[in-house]
Amino acid sequence: MTSAKTRPASDYPPGGDAFRHRHLIGIAQLTPWEISYVLDAAEEWVELNRSGAAKHDDRLAGLTIINAFFENSTRTLLSFEIAGKRLGADVVNMHAAQSSVKKGETLIDTAMTLNAMRADAMVIRHGSSGAVQLIAGKVDCPVLNAGDGRHEHPTQALLDALTIRRRKGKVEGLTIAICGDVLHSRVARSNILALTLLGNEVRIVAPPTLTPPAMERMHVTTFTDMDEGIRDADVVMMLRLQNERMDGAYLPSAREYHALYGLTPKRLEKAKPDAIVMHPGPMNRGVEIDSSVADDPVRSTITEQVEMGVAVRMACLDILTRRKRGVAGWN
Amino acid sequence: MELKPLHIIGAMLIDGDTPRPGSLLVVDGRIAALDPAEIPDGTETVDAKGQWLAPGIIDLGVFATDKPAFHFGGITRAALMPDNGPLDGAGLVERAAKGGKPDLWVHPLAAATKGLEGRELAEIGLMKQAGARAIATGRSRIADSGVMRRVLSYAASLGLVTIIHAEDEGLTAGAVATDGEMATRLGLASAPAMAEAIAIARDLALVEETGAPVHFRQVTTARGLDLIRAAKAKGLPVLCGITPAHLLLSDTAIGDFRTFARLSPPLRSEDDRHACLAAIADGTIDVLASGHDPRGPEDKRLPFAEALPGMAGAETLLALGLGLVRDGHVSPGRLFELLAGTPACLLGVDAGSLAVGKEADLILVNDATPWQVDAKKMAAWAGNTPFDGMPVQGRATMMWKGGQRIR
């Protein structure tokens, strides 16, 4: 894949062989061409989403999608909801705060209940690594992981790859620095897997207290010096720093973190002149990223990432429900 | 009840390094003679048909009195960890000790501190009088070094060994796996393997000072085992144990978030696993135990970090131990020292070997019978085994507790 232009369908295996998964649990299960297949499909939805007033395609009409979010989320939930609705599906949201989870019902019981309501797809976010896979093994419909603990957040990595591909014309052979709280970040794990798989040089820039063990086994290089880590990078991907990490256990303070790891205009000069700046949101302005960088229309891709998120999620929902809808070749 | 004398003939006796043909006479529940010349009148004869005759397994450090699983596994005595309860008073200890009789003897391990909270000494002396055979720190260690020092010297004065769990609580706080590629890929909170060595080092220093005998229930890392080896070379009164899990599995077993492989301490790297195999071969490890901790779906069918640690190990202990023999890591005689002889010494019970005068806790073992571990068909009250599906060889075919046939 050397340009943002999508590949012709004939480049992919026919029918369901192009994406041989019942669920989307993580990037770890995907091949490079499956990632590319999803990105190409998402390109179509970008066009539709930009095409004026009528952004509707009714291919999922009559299907029920349940967004089960056991952990709070605004943007990911909204993004999945819009994606489902643009495809014509009936979308239902379940928030843990309003559910029987708080009453002590086990995760499996909750999953079985949702399953009995005959959902045609479930989108699940949960605070524990592995929880989404656990549910996927118990239900009859496709399950999409919208983030499980610190494990994976596959649609985020796909939308990031799509954003890079559209901005840089390719998503291979680039130098990409992922900066911040890698230890607690599922976004970082999914992006490391996706971006190394696609053939990029991936660097991790993080304080030692927020660097996971055995990173060399993930085929990345680690840096503790931000200036070194982003030197000549094509992409600087910032991670959100949770407030509770700054209370002294992992980091001394927010201002020290900003001084050492905050992305300032001056620091960004170390990266390539045309480097782009990414952030999965929500941002802590003035902590991990300066407002002037975040709002730079040329370099910041932050709003574009949100836009790509809807397109990628539409592609995933479409692809994973093809068996159910009896699309030719998907059985 | 009158016990008839029992003569087991045609057996391969495990009373030395290698099995040898022989017979064994039991009178009044005790081993009366090996290869007896004279047999009393009215003796019942059992033909072992060439199977191994070994001491019943003394499983040191289980978390539940699970008789069907113990009987399946050839376990005649089990030392019960104090965590359920916790066993921190004489009444509780006395009740636990009666839990399995007559066909299974439970030796309660007394809680070292009140409520196992690691702060105040429990009534160790009264619990000894009630039947406690040793004391234990439970599933975690005693964090406060001052408390630990007092526990060790107090228990030693009563002639009791202190059984220790060795993990530094600061390093392991919140962790459910060992640092490494697997934990990182799965996004699980992990702790460095040396959390074990740090804990062992502190307690060895206290042993050196107090002279108190200790047993580290599970030592699972190369660095931890090096410390034990050095302490033994110095002549310190130190023993250590392990379960088959840390000898046969590494942290790759937690891939796919398999909660049956969530253990405490967590599974280690492949390098550490090999160090454990070397340590069981060179004699650094003294005890092989099941760590039997059956847990139902309410504790295990959960996201990995929310599941509770532990495995149902009683049924697989013997077969996996026989695997160590087949793979050349230990001799048959040494296997039963690990499973019975050393645990008997540590607990001060008159069993654990085929010697005249010992209690006739005996098992016949067919060391060749092939079978497959199946989590769904276990005798234990929960089938949480990390060895599900594994083909194994060897099982206990007959059992006697104090000369009384129980299986």
Side-chain angles (χ1 to χ4, degrees), chain A residues 1 23 66 73 85 128 218 258 262 278 311 317 319 322:
Chain A
M1 171 188 350
H23 310 289
I66 298 182
S73 159
K85 285 183 169 163
S128 268
M218 304 283 284
H258 180 257
M278 308 180 77
L317 288 171
I319 291 168
R322 282 182 192 166

Side-chain angles (χ1 to χ4, degrees), chain A residues 15-21 24 30 34 37-38 319-320 323 330:
Chain A
D17 286 347
F19 192 86
R20 304 175 66 156
H21 304 279
L24 179 64
L30 303 185
E34 282 169 338
Y37 183 76
V38 176
I319 291 168
L320 288 170
R323 276 180 192 85
W330 291 75

Side-chain angles (χ1 to χ4, degrees), chain A residues 103-313:
Chain A
K103 297 174 200 150
E105 187 178 61
T106 70
L107 183 59
I108 296 285
D109 290 339
T110 308
M112 296 314 289
T113 304
L114 298 181
N115 192 50
M117 293 175 185
R118 305 258 171 204
D120 298 295
M122 283 187 207
V123 177
I124 297 167
R125 167 169 288 193
H126 195 281
S128 268
S129 301
V132 176
Q133 184 175 323
L134 183 67
I135 293 174
K138 304 282 174 196
V139 299
D140 303 316
C141 67
V143 169
L144 286 84
N145 183 358
D148 63 323
R150 346 171 153 175
H151 177 224
E152 284 233 41
H153 191 354
T155 56
Q156 178 73 42
L158 292 168
L159 76 88
D160 286 339
L162 182 62
T163 306
I164 295 170
R165 195 171 85 169
R166 288 173 65 95
R167 277 294 186 103
K168 291 284 164 191
K170 61 177 184 179
V171 58
E172 64 180 4
L174 300 173
T175 300
I176 300 169
I178 301 176
C179 314
D181 182 1
V182 180
L183 180 65
H184 299 97
S185 175
R186 54 193 171 217
V187 174
R189 277 177 184 71
S190 286
N191 263 306
I192 289 168
L193 290 169
L195 295 170
T196 54
L197 197 61
L198 294 172
N200 300 283
E201 184 204 331
V202 177
R203 302 174 182 169
I204 293 305
V205 184
T209 49
L210 294 174
T211 304
M215 282 315 281
E216 71 287 352
R217 304 284 302 165
M218 304 283 284
H219 313 291
V220 300
T221 42
T222 57
F223 293 83
T224 50
D225 181 323
M226 180 88 172
D227 292 340
E228 282 290 310
I230 66 172
R231 188 182 303 280
D232 297 325
D234 296 291
V235 177
V236 180
M237 182 183 287
M238 302 304 296
L239 300 171
R240 174 177 165 74
L241 185 70
Q242 306 279 346
N243 287 325
E244 61 264 30
R245 311 291 176 223
M246 294 180 276
D247 59 7
Y250 292 92
L251 296 168
S253 67
R255 65 179 183 184
E256 176 155 328
Y257 185 73
H258 180 257
L260 296 180
Y261 295 96
L263 190 61
T264 58
K266 186 160 179 353
R267 199 161 258 153
L268 186 57
E269 286 170 18
K270 299 282 194 303
K272 284 206 180 129
D274 62 346
I276 58 170
V277 174
M278 308 180 77
H279 195 296
M283 287 181 280
N284 295 305
R285 289 170 180 268
V287 181
E288 73 258 14
I289 191 164
D290 274 17
S291 281
S292 60
V293 176
D295 300 333
D296 181 338
V298 180
R299 313 193 72 172
S300 166
T301 65
I302 294 166
T303 51
E304 196 175 334
Q305 285 170 271
V306 176
E307 183 190 0
M308 294 307 122
V310 175
V312 156
R313 285 162 186 139

